[in-house]
Amino acid sequence: MLPYLIKRIGVALPLLVVISFVTFILNQLSPMDPVEVVLRAQEVPIITEALMAQTRAELGLDRPFLERYWDWLLSSVQLDFGDSYITGKPVWSLLGPAFLNTLKLTLISSFLIILFSIGLGIVCALREGRLLDLSIRGLSFLMTSMPAYGLAAIMIWYFAVQLDLLPTSGMDSAASYVLPVAVIVIGYAGIYFRTIRSSMLSNLNEDYVLYARACGLSERQITMHVLRNSMQVAVSVFGLAIPIILGSTVVVENVFAWPGLGTLTVNSILGRDFPIIQAYVLVLAVAFVLFNTVSDLINAALNPRLRKEL
């Protein structure tokens, strides 16, 4: 297992360096000069060439590209992403609390998505082609085809306005989590449970299931064996589901005024706050690589043949 772990880390580290380099380049290609963004944020009445040159030197933007990238990369490893162009505050002091708020929403939603996906996947696989299977799949197709902002608007209108049961915005109490979590769970559980169902059906048609029935094993024992073998696909899917949810909460957070990464990033994009945008992209990339690596390690632990392939 240790050689496999070293191999995966050896692949992940260069990938992160490449992603960080691409992230740094993309922000440099913006048509708007960062110096102008800073001066406009400071409400400077008259922007002269001399003032722009002075500000560029203060920000270190007059140095060679590779030198700036290297300094930014070394600082990013220490969670120092520079200062915001708009507020002048350290980026991590803004990104950190927002990241934690989004992470709370993501972890709760991911747990429920995994729970519902596995449960619905098992039920539908064991009732293939029956009314329950068709009903669940039809309802999930209907719910997942609805855009997140539309579903959020309907739930706000019904549960917050009509019934006056839940708050419409913020994260002041546990009740504030209900609507945004529900929107995320409905959107993703309807997608991922079909993966579990498909994997379960594939394993149910394997020869070992026929042999197990011939040996007199109970359906419950057979289902547990099939579920264990189906978990390899589930681990890969859910391993990437968490960072996907982490990066796709933008709509939900803005609809429910959730003080997370989505809200912060949208405001940063509108204000051309490049340091925050860079940090956001890098944090998401690290999350994708990290969870992908962890899911590969879990799969390798479940299936020793994967370790021998490397």
Side-chain angles (χ1 to χ4, degrees):
M1 190 66 180
L2 182 59
Y4 184 83
L5 175 61
I6 295 174
K7 180 79 173 181
R8 291 301 303 159
I9 294 176
V11 172
L13 289 179
L15 180 60
L16 287 174
V17 173
V18 171
I19 291 173
S20 68
F21 185 74
V22 173
T23 301
F24 196 79
I25 289 178
L26 290 177
N27 281 287
Q28 306 304 310
L29 297 178
S30 173
M32 192 167 187
D33 193 336
V35 175
E36 185 177 349
V37 173
V38 174
L39 293 176
R40 290 186 182 279
Q42 296 174 352
E43 298 182 353
V44 176
I46 301 176
I47 301 177
T48 62
E49 290 296 330
L51 183 58
M52 289 187 67
Q54 178 185 347
T55 306
R56 182 172 285 106
E58 291 174 354
L59 296 174
L61 298 176
D62 57 342
R63 295 183 299 157
F65 172 80
L66 290 179
E67 182 181 334
R68 286 188 286 122
Y69 165 71
W70 181 249
D71 289 345
W72 176 77
L73 180 62
L74 292 180
S75 299
S76 298
V77 174
Q78 305 172 51
L79 298 182
D80 179 10
F81 300 102
D83 297 331
S84 166
Y85 286 166
I86 305 301
T87 64
K89 298 179 180 179
V91 170
W92 186 247
S93 69
L94 302 172
L95 197 71
F99 176 77
L100 290 177
N101 292 337
T102 298
L103 187 62
K104 294 175 186 176
L105 191 63
T106 300
L107 292 179
I108 295 173
S109 301
S110 299
F111 174 77
L112 294 176
I113 288 170
I114 292 172
L115 192 65
F116 281 113
S117 296
I118 294 176
L120 292 175
I122 294 173
V123 169
C124 289
L126 297 178
R127 302 290 188 275
E128 181 190 9
R130 300 181 185 179
L131 180 60
L132 182 61
D133 176 35
L134 297 175
S135 300
I136 292 176
R137 285 193 291 153
L139 183 60
S140 70
F141 180 79
L142 175 65
M143 300 304 289
T144 54
S145 63
M146 185 179 299
Y149 60 85
L151 181 59
I154 293 173
M155 296 186 74
I156 288 174
W157 172 79
Y158 185 72
F159 291 103
V161 178
Q162 295 295 318
L163 300 181
D164 195 23
L165 293 176
L166 299 169
T168 60
S169 61
M171 52 176 295
D172 300 326
S173 63
S176 303
Y177 286 80
V178 176
L179 290 181
V181 167
V183 172
I184 296 173
V185 170
I186 290 173
Y188 284 95
I191 297 173
Y192 291 123
F193 98 89
R194 288 196 288 267
T195 302
I196 305 298
R197 177 184 179 275
S198 177
S199 181
M200 287 280 294
L201 289 175
S202 177
N203 278 279
L204 283 171
N205 292 322
E206 293 290 334
D207 292 338
Y208 75 87
V209 175
L210 181 62
Y211 179 75
R213 288 193 175 119
C215 290
L217 268 68
S218 66
E219 287 299 319
R220 180 178 180 181
Q221 290 175 308
I222 294 173
T223 300
M224 293 306 296
H225 282 293
V226 171
L227 180 60
R228 183 181 183 277
N229 292 332
S230 301
M231 279 300 100
Q232 294 182 30
V233 175
V235 168
S236 299
V237 170
F238 293 135
L240 289 178
I242 295 176
I244 288 175
I245 296 170
L246 186 68
S248 61
T249 58
V250 175
V251 174
V252 173
E253 288 187 358
N254 278 274
V255 170
F256 291 101
W258 191 270
L261 282 177
T263 304
L264 177 66
T265 304
V266 169
N267 293 334
S268 300
I269 292 173
L270 295 176
R272 305 293 193 277
D273 203 341
F274 299 118
I276 293 181
I277 299 172
Q278 284 180 325
Y280 172 76
V281 174
L282 186 61
V283 166
L284 283 187
V286 170
F288 267 96
V289 174
L290 177 63
F291 279 98
N292 189 35
T293 302
V294 171
S295 65
D296 285 345
L297 293 176
I298 295 175
N299 273 331
L302 293 174
N303 187 358
R305 289 178 297 179
L306 295 176
R307 302 198 294 267
K308 297 177 181 179
E309 292 177 0
L310 292 180

